[in-house]
Amino acid sequence: MPAMAQKNYAQDSTTIKKIYDNALTSYESYENLRYLTKQIGARLSGSPQAAAAVEWSRQVMEKMNLDTVYLQEVMVPHWVRGDKEIGRVTNSKLLGTVDMNIVALGASVGTGKQGLSAEVVEVKSFEELEKLGKKKVKGKIVFFNRPFDNTHITTGAAYSDAVDQRGGGPVAAAKLGAVGVLVRSMTNDIQEVAHTGNTRYEDGVEKIPAAAISTKHAEQLSSLLKEDPNLKFYMRMTSEMLPDVLSYNVIGEIRGTEKPDEIIVVGGHLDSWDIGEGAHDDGTGCMQSIEVLRLFNDLGIKPKRTVRAVLFMNEENGLRGGRKYAELAKANGEKHVAAIESDAGGFTPRGFGLDGTKEQLQAVLAWEPLLAPYGLHDIAPGYGGADIGPLKGQGSVALIGFKPDSQRYFDYHHTVIDTFEQVNRREMQLGAASMASLVYLISEYGLNGSTAKVQK
Amino acid sequence: MPAMAQKNYAQDSTTIKKIYDNALTSYESYENLRYLTKQIGARLSGSPQAAAAVEWSRQVMEKMNLDTVYLQEVMVPHWVRGDKEIGRVTNSKLLGTVDMNIVALGASVGTGKQGLSAEVVEVKSFEELEKLGKKKVKGKIVFFNRPFDNTHITTGAAYSDAVDQRGGGPVAAAKLGAVGVLVRSMTNDIQEVAHTGNTRYEDGVEKIPAAAISTKHAEQLSSLLKEDPNLKFYMRMTSEMLPDVLSYNVIGEIRGTEKPDEIIVVGGHLDSWDIGEGAHDDGTGCMQSIEVLRLFNDLGIKPKRTVRAVLFMNEENGLRGGRKYAELAKANGEKHVAAIESDAGGFTPRGFGLDGTKEQLQAVLAWEPLLAPYGLHDIAPGYGGADIGPLKGQGSVALIGFKPDSQRYFDYHHTVIDTFEQVNRREMQLGAASMASLVYLISEYGLNGSTAKVQK
């Protein structure tokens, strides 16, 4: 091992220890999350709370004595849920009337104030739906009930396998003449709460109302249908899409001392669904991103490259913030070295997934001896994140997804129980320190070329 | 790579996948935990609930069609908490009377029904206490208030650093004439709830009452003392030690097909503190140990060596079960290959700590390619566990501690909030599958000699 590399290793190891020590003994970021979740709360794009979150997080960063804090204008969809949804089996032979927990899917049209009542046809896949054909689907509510495959070790893999039902269900069902859609909630567990999330329509295909049903009630509905295939389901939703609203990405940065034009983004999304408090999704990611800047400031770390925290707007139902950010980065000729996103919950860190070149992956893997003492063992090719996705292909930017432990994420994801109480301060702060440590290493060495390699 | 090793690798990989698939799609063990925590509840040694836990878990294993299920007699301490404790600052200048959450430490004597009122002297260490000397300590309550060092990445390390106060506080204080002890609760967080746990007395030193105080109130008491060093603290506890009671270790086993005399123990402790439900400590460890046997049975895995689940009695306040088990193992000339303990909570698995020879560690490390896909990256020298500790030195037994993620453990440890609700089914089941996978590999290859080595 060359002497220089050895010296670097010792210095870097010391810096990273300082980052963790500080993060684990500070309550500031956790208290910021408390404010965001408890004082502002849910903050769907276009809502007054989303505007409050923009202004509050701008103020938080303004107080931090950064080099720059600014907003980036972006027009966002403005969908509103309306009244609390009603879901009900009205005439089951076995149980008569049974209320069931449903939540409208984002972008969904409403049912009209009278609601909608129809027979239900259950399917597990689009293939099964196609086979049924128009004759058996027309006039009915299609119930997509394929559960998570719980044998996946990471829950995100189970989500990826199942979420086509939520996104593509309404169009596929409407093409066969269905009048409504129920989708089994996207979760590993059998729960009372229903999980919202966005759906899609297509031009030329009728927009039919679509809701998620709790897994507990999905199981019950499936059982009742076996006894009584002609039961009727009543659903009432007054959701609607309103005109687009002006909103913002919120950005703060520390300029690099040696290569200020080389930018490292660290970010999460500031918007959330309109139920719950958007704590794990993605309050923690945003507060962690701001925390990276705080840690650099408090520890007097002057990054060689520019470190920029970006709180993206509208990840949940449009990705307008991510797209706008990439568009402006390109228009302004900015050079992004790396973009790191935290949007998988504020849980104990496990590692990073990297969407980039082999050389970039090797550079991060070479830092494993510095990161493993903090439980960051899982460094592998992987998904970066939705918000940073549009940056892909701009120069040689590496897209990096922060990977926390995934087991509990879909217990809370997109529900009324995604609240501050579900976040553990240490787990969240370990995540912030993990992100800060990787940002620090990239700011020192970049991700391309031999300078990136540091060996123990 | 030799062809034989390659063939083994493929077979072992398939078997381990089956173990995880089964564990992640079964609810049986989790429902067992629900019964243990909700129907039986807290089960301190000597309590009727501990007896219920013994009989119930025996019945659970009896139904499993194992080769042997039996009980091992052990006399255990019978300490009772008595009335709910009262802790109170009675005359602070700033706030007058302030109630504070305290819980008697296990083994502690009571205060008498009238309670005890005295001035408080706060210390952070035994050295500080010694320096104060008899003059400043006599007649007072000693308040040990050294917090967890939160910069430790694993919370167990912070616990180890701080727990001397709980164990050794009463003797050290009594030697200087103190009349009572308050110990800051053993947790990383600032919480309302107080954390119990065992303390010790010494022959010839007066037994003075000792309680844990919640970290929130420890902080408050410390603040009040700064304003008013002469404030008085009132504590009332009616705890007492009763005569020993007959209890049992509960044991079930599947005999090995090729080397039945070589035993692999997998275990946890069946007793718990008398507050809360003993869910993470250590209901999960016990249910996971039974689950290892269930997985072997359901998957038709015939272990070459004997696999024995041991639910130890009295880990919390005596370790009598662990000692008795080791004593009988020795007396009966049993040969233990390995003992694996799960007593660090039912959280996401991170790896195993091994207390054994270098060769044994190398054997387990050689299996890392089989275990890493399941998040088991952290295989290193480490602590086995309290219950299996007395086996140390018997033949060449390796003591292995299952290591789940540690971040949340001391949020719940020894408190009223260590309940079933805090356990995530997937996290618990991943732990059971991790233990079963390691047991499977040891049962196939042992831990000593070249047969233990399997390479990818």
Side-chain angles (χ1 to χ4, degrees), chain B residues 96-342:
Chain B
T97 298
V98 187
D99 282 330
M100 296 195 169
N101 294 338
I102 66 168
V103 287
L105 294 181
S108 178
V109 296
T111 56
K113 291 203 171 179
Q114 304 307 313
L116 140 73
S117 190
E119 289 184 5
V120 176
V121 55
E122 176 180 349
V123 296
K124 295 282 170 65
S125 67
F126 292 106
E127 296 69 37
E128 202 182 328
L129 179 66
E130 287 304 317
K131 275 189 194 156
L132 287 176
K134 280 194 180 174
K135 200 168 163 190
K136 291 187 175 162
V137 172
K138 195 170 158 50
K140 296 192 179 153
I141 293 169
V142 176
F143 169 35
F144 291 92
N145 193 29
R146 185 169 82 256
F148 268 28
D149 176 357
N150 277 332
T151 67
H152 285 293
I153 301 301
T154 56
T155 59
Y159 178 69
S160 296
D161 270 7
V163 75
D164 59 340
Q165 302 174 95
R166 194 188 73 204
V171 166
K175 282 180 176 171
L176 298 175
V179 295
V181 162
L182 289 172
V183 179
R184 182 188 179 96
S185 284
M186 297 290 134
T187 179
N188 302 85
D189 207 359
I190 303 300
Q191 290 183 313
E192 292 272 351
V193 297
H195 295 234
T196 191
N198 221 38
T199 191
R200 291 187 301 272
Y201 293 121
E202 267 179 34
D203 285 343
V205 180
E206 197 183 343
K207 295 178 179 180
I208 59 175
I213 182 169
S214 76
T215 45
K216 181 182 163 181
H217 289 130
E219 296 277 298
Q220 191 181 22
L221 178 57
S222 184
S223 293
L224 291 175
L225 283 167
K226 283 182 184 66
E227 296 291 326
D228 179 7
N230 302 116
L231 64 74
K232 287 206 167 181
F233 195 92
Y234 173 75
M235 57 197 284
R236 181 182 187 280
M237 310 171 0
T238 60
S239 50
E240 59 181 322
M241 189 66 84
L242 304 174
D244 285 2
V245 167
L246 177 63
S247 188
Y248 305 90
N249 295 326
V250 186
I251 299 176
E253 69 184 41
I254 303 174
R255 277 180 75 76
T257 54
E258 294 187 8
K259 302 189 174 187
D261 295 342
E262 296 193 11
I263 297 162
I264 303 159
V265 161
V266 59
H269 64 84
L270 192 53
D271 65 305
S272 77
W273 281 104
D274 57 327
I275 56 179
E277 299 170 359
H280 281 293
D281 187 13
D282 183 26
T284 50
C286 289
M287 297 307 100
Q288 285 168 329
S289 298
I290 295 176
E291 179 74 348
V292 169
L293 301 183
R294 186 196 68 77
L295 287 164
F296 272 65
N297 263 0
D298 279 15
L299 295 168
I301 300 171
K302 306 285 185 198
K304 291 181 181 164
R305 292 166 174 82
T306 291
V307 178
R308 180 185 286 175
V310 183
L311 315 185
F312 294 94
M313 182 51 65
N314 186 228
E315 189 272 346
E316 292 296 2
N317 60 336
L319 209 64
R320 301 274 185 91
R323 291 202 186 107
K324 175 62 78 174
Y325 181 84
E327 181 190 315
L328 291 174
K330 193 171 186 181
N332 297 329
E334 288 185 339
K335 180 182 178 186
H336 283 74
V337 182
I340 303 170
E341 180 154 356
S342 169

Side-chain angles (χ1 to χ4, degrees), chain B residues 66-110:
Chain B
L66 303 174
D67 292 316
T68 330
V69 175
Y70 57 102
L71 302 180
Q72 226 169 35
E73 291 189 357
V74 54
M75 294 301 293
V76 296
H78 186 199
W79 177 82
V80 293
R81 184 171 301 279
D83 302 339
K84 184 165 166 50
E85 301 85 344
I86 299 172
R88 183 176 291 155
V89 170
T90 49
N91 61 342
S92 76
K93 282 183 186 160
L94 229 58
L95 299 174
T97 298
V98 187
D99 282 330
M100 296 195 169
N101 294 338
I102 66 168
V103 287
L105 294 181
S108 178
V109 296

Side-chain angles (χ1 to χ4, degrees), chain B residues 419-441:
Chain B
T419 58
F420 180 72
E421 289 73 14
Q422 309 304 337
V423 178
N424 176 281
R425 186 185 66 84
R426 283 181 61 84
E427 293 187 352
M428 173 187 171
Q429 288 296 91
L430 284 169
S434 302
M435 291 156 65
S437 298
L438 182 60
V439 168
Y440 163 72
L441 290 167

Side-chain angles (χ1 to χ4, degrees), chain A residues 84-105:
Chain A
K84 184 166 167 48
E85 301 86 342
I86 299 171
R88 184 175 290 154
V89 170
T90 50
N91 62 340
S92 76
K93 281 181 188 163
L94 230 55
L95 299 175
T97 298
V98 187
D99 281 330
M100 295 194 169
N101 294 340
I102 66 167
V103 287
L105 294 181

